[in-house]
Amino acid sequence: MTAETVWQGRFIAMKVDGKWEYASRARGIGAAVILAIDAGEVILVEQYRVPIGARCLELPAGLVGDETAGEPVEIAAARELEEETGYRPARVEVIGHFHSSPGMVSEGFTLVRADGLERVGPGGGDGDEDITVHRVPLSAIEAFVAARRGEGVAIDVKLLMLLGPGLVG
């Protein structure tokens, strides 16, 4: 059976395929998630997310192809990292494509590693974003995440890659 689009906005489409209802990105838009580590510190962002009604601690991320169709993920990731955090990477390397909630959304994301970071601006996102940038030593990531969670900040599932060794060891 072919999925039927029952509603589509600028960025999201709601689809039905047999008994399945799910969300997907509209217009072939993708997403890049950026793992940026500099001098033993990871760059994280915190911003309000309307769907969960709370601020959320995340890896920097952004849309790919939302403004320019066919945009390379590395170019989009570098642009988004600089916009959100103020850091410009010398290199961006694709790690792989992943899905975070495949039972509810078809969207996946391309995880990239950014290095050779240079601070070129304040970050904080574009005009309608209110992004706080955090530089967190990898050795202190568990305590930092626990403290933010304790203050009511939601934690994005992708941070599990940074917490993994402490969770399974």
Side-chain angles (χ1 to χ4, degrees):
M1 183 175 247
T2 302
E4 172 192 1
T5 300
V6 295
W7 176 86
Q8 182 169 323
R10 183 173 171 211
F11 296 105
I12 296 174
M14 299 304 297
K15 298 188 176 190
V16 175
D17 189 345
K19 68 176 186 162
W20 286 94
E21 300 172 341
Y22 62 95
S24 69
R25 285 281 179 196
R27 304 180 290 122
I29 296 171
V33 174
I34 304 122
L35 178 60
I37 298 175
D38 185 47
E41 296 179 326
V42 64
I43 310 298
L44 300 177
V45 295
E46 184 178 315
Q47 61 187 312
Y48 184 80
R49 293 298 196 175
V50 171
I52 60 173
R55 290 188 66 78
C56 189
L57 185 64
E58 312 168 1
L59 292 169
L63 297 178
V64 178
D66 59 324
E67 296 177 13
T68 306
E71 177 180 37
V73 68
E74 296 89 347
I75 300 297
R79 181 190 70 246
E80 291 289 344
L81 182 64
E82 186 173 332
E83 177 184 294
E84 291 192 358
T85 71
Y87 287 93
R88 180 177 295 153
R91 292 168 298 286
V92 175
E93 172 191 3
V94 172
I95 295 173
H97 194 76
F98 298 87
H99 295 270
S100 59
S101 189
M104 188 172 148
V105 297
S106 64
E107 177 191 42
F109 62 90
T110 301
L111 180 65
V112 302
R113 181 183 354 261
D115 59 17
L117 304 181
E118 176 187 2
R119 189 76 189 247
V120 296
D126 62 24
D128 66 345
E129 295 175 306
D130 178 21
I131 296 173
T132 301
V133 180
H134 300 285
R135 262 187 88 106
V136 182
L138 287 169
S139 61
I141 193 70
E142 289 181 53
F144 183 80
V145 169
R148 300 308 299 143
R149 181 181 282 126
E151 293 175 18
V153 174
I155 309 300
D156 187 286
V157 68
K158 292 176 279 307
L159 293 187
L160 284 173
M161 82 173 88
L162 299 172
L163 299 171
L167 295 174
V168 297

